[in-house]
Amino acid sequence: MSFVAQSEVSPSACAVFRSIDSVPEDFGPSVVTVGNFDGVHCGHRRVIGEVVARARALQAKAVLVTLDPHPAVILRPDQAPKLITPTPEKLRLLLQTGLDAVLVIPFTAELARTSAREFAATVLRDRLRAVEVYEGENFRFGYQAEADIAGLSELGREFGFRVEAFQPVKIARGVVSSSRIRQAIAAGDLTTARHLLGRSFAVQSTPARGRGYGTQYAVPTVNLATYEDLLPANGVYVTEMRIGTGEEVVTFESVTNVGNRPTFGPDSFAVESFLFRFRPIALGESTPVRLTFLKRLREERKWPSPEALKAQIGRDVARAERWFALRRALGGASQG
């Protein structure tokens, strides 16, 4: 296997290695988990929590290994899932878990041909010096998913690490899985998605180009740039928009339409948010925008006239305002 050497260290003291070659030769010993971790959901965090706890007990490094892009992008591009958490967002969430390091291995056609034995020897034994490996009971790896937990355990006995398998976490009458969460979000079922993720679903993007964003933006609507990963089903949502980074962050309560705007003629897909209690802000085409989806209000539909649509938007805004007023009264806040 060949990898490009890159690495970085986050402010949280969790090292992010962008290749196996960038892991120091004296790294470890380590307690490791390997997987895609799309969504960093409740099930993932259970495994990660055990990895961190065991690493502390053994005075080892807590390490998570993931792949970028998702293997399906290379192996089955026509079936590749839209991601709940693209890699930058996944890393942001993983850096909050107490891990000592995240290893992001570039997934290529060459890597896809790597045998389970070679992966275990090269990555787990030689570079990470794993002493324990934690995986879900359905874990598979290696060329054509040749090895399962039993195969990993056999390799572990040979290479000097112990393997622990976790049963799936169950919430809301079902197993917590990335595929189940994707299905819920794609259907607009934010309640189920929130229970399984352990937080509200959010997307990180930038404003759409060509909308006149300048030094001082003074219009209370923001369209997101084209977003290629997972979005909720077309419809209208109660949302919250966080704009900017660092000390310049400003957050607005909002209502968002996801869809094709059929009232105005040919389909023109957009994610358009109306911001409540808006004030002029610094907003450019590269400004980070985080949109958190809190509640689905209704499906998208074609209205008989722009006037009818305007009246409905007024009702949507009123419903969203009532939702936020109730949340404030109850002392709640979103989990983005």
Side-chain angles (χ1 to χ4, degrees):
M1 292 182 288
S2 62
F3 305 85
V4 176
Q6 295 178 320
S7 67
E8 61 194 70
V9 178
S10 78
S12 66
C14 175
V16 179
F17 301 113
R18 299 284 183 169
S19 72
I20 185 62
D21 289 341
S22 67
V23 179
E25 291 187 3
D26 61 351
F27 189 85
S30 63
V31 180
V32 183
T33 184
V34 182
N36 290 313
F37 299 98
D38 184 29
V40 193
H41 56 59
C42 293
H44 293 148
R45 291 200 297 278
R46 175 188 170 191
V47 175
I48 293 168
E50 184 65 20
V51 166
V52 171
R54 287 296 296 160
R56 300 293 178 268
L58 297 172
Q59 296 185 315
K61 303 284 189 181
V63 181
L64 181 145
V65 179
T66 191
L67 305 170
D68 182 41
H70 190 287
V73 172
I74 303 298
L75 302 176
R76 302 178 300 279
D78 57 330
Q79 301 175 33
K82 290 184 178 293
L83 297 180
I84 306 163
T85 49
T87 296
E89 176 66 1
K90 180 165 65 175
L91 287 174
R92 186 188 74 85
L93 294 166
L94 291 175
L95 295 181
Q96 301 171 8
T97 62
L99 288 163
D100 295 303
V102 176
L103 169 57
V104 184
I105 299 178
F107 191 84
T108 62
E110 177 188 358
L111 184 66
R113 292 189 292 270
T114 301
S115 69
R117 181 181 182 81
E118 182 183 358
F119 183 89
T122 302
V123 178
L124 299 178
R125 181 192 65 187
D126 297 344
R127 190 56 62 134
L128 298 180
R129 293 199 293 153
V131 293
E132 293 184 353
V133 178
Y134 287 78
E135 301 296 342
E137 62 179 14
N138 297 321
F139 176 72
R140 301 195 70 91
F141 73 114
Y143 178 60
Q144 295 185 338
E146 62 183 301
D148 57 8
I149 281 290
L152 179 62
S153 297
E154 184 176 342
L155 291 167
R157 286 188 289 273
E158 179 180 352
F159 294 150
F161 56 81
R162 185 177 72 86
V163 174
E164 181 74 25
F166 276 93
Q167 293 185 347
V169 175
K170 293 185 177 180
I171 295 177
R173 303 195 187 108
V175 171
V176 180
S177 69
S178 298
S179 58
R180 186 182 174 202
I181 295 168
R182 289 188 201 105
Q183 291 168 1
I185 294 170
D189 183 359
L190 298 181
T191 299
T192 296
R194 184 169 58 251
H195 287 322
L196 302 181
L197 285 170
R199 64 183 187 277
S200 297
F201 173 67
V203 301
Q204 183 82 25
S205 186
T206 55
R209 293 184 178 276
R211 294 278 297 178
Y213 300 113
T215 304
Q216 282 295 309
Y217 186 68
V219 179
T221 59
V222 174
N223 284 23
L224 292 192
T226 301
Y227 188 79
E228 300 296 340
D229 285 295
L230 189 63
L231 286 168
N234 288 5
V236 178
Y237 296 86
V238 179
T239 55
E240 197 167 62
M241 180 173 283
R242 190 180 70 183
I243 300 171
T245 58
E247 297 180 356
E248 298 181 356
V249 170
V250 59
T251 300
F252 294 97
E253 296 170 350
S254 53
V255 63
T256 297
N257 183 80
V258 178
N260 295 308
R261 301 181 288 190
T263 302
F264 296 100
D267 287 355
S268 176
F269 185 84
V271 180
E272 184 172 19
S273 298
F274 176 79
L275 312 182
F276 301 163
R277 289 169 289 283
F278 179 77
R279 62 185 183 277
I281 55 173
L283 183 67
E285 291 181 349
S286 61
T287 302
V289 173
R290 183 177 184 80
L291 184 63
T292 301
F293 291 85
L294 301 172
K295 178 181 174 60
R296 181 176 168 88
L297 293 178
R298 63 174 176 85
E299 75 286 352
E300 184 183 45
R301 58 167 291 190
K302 183 175 183 177
W303 298 91
S305 67
E307 291 73 23
L309 173 60
K310 183 178 179 179
Q312 180 59 49
I313 291 173
R315 292 189 288 270
D316 295 335
V317 168
R319 287 183 63 193
E321 288 276 29
R322 288 195 296 270
W323 190 92
F324 281 115
L326 178 60
R327 188 181 72 165
R328 287 192 294 271
L330 296 175
S334 69
Q335 295 176 303

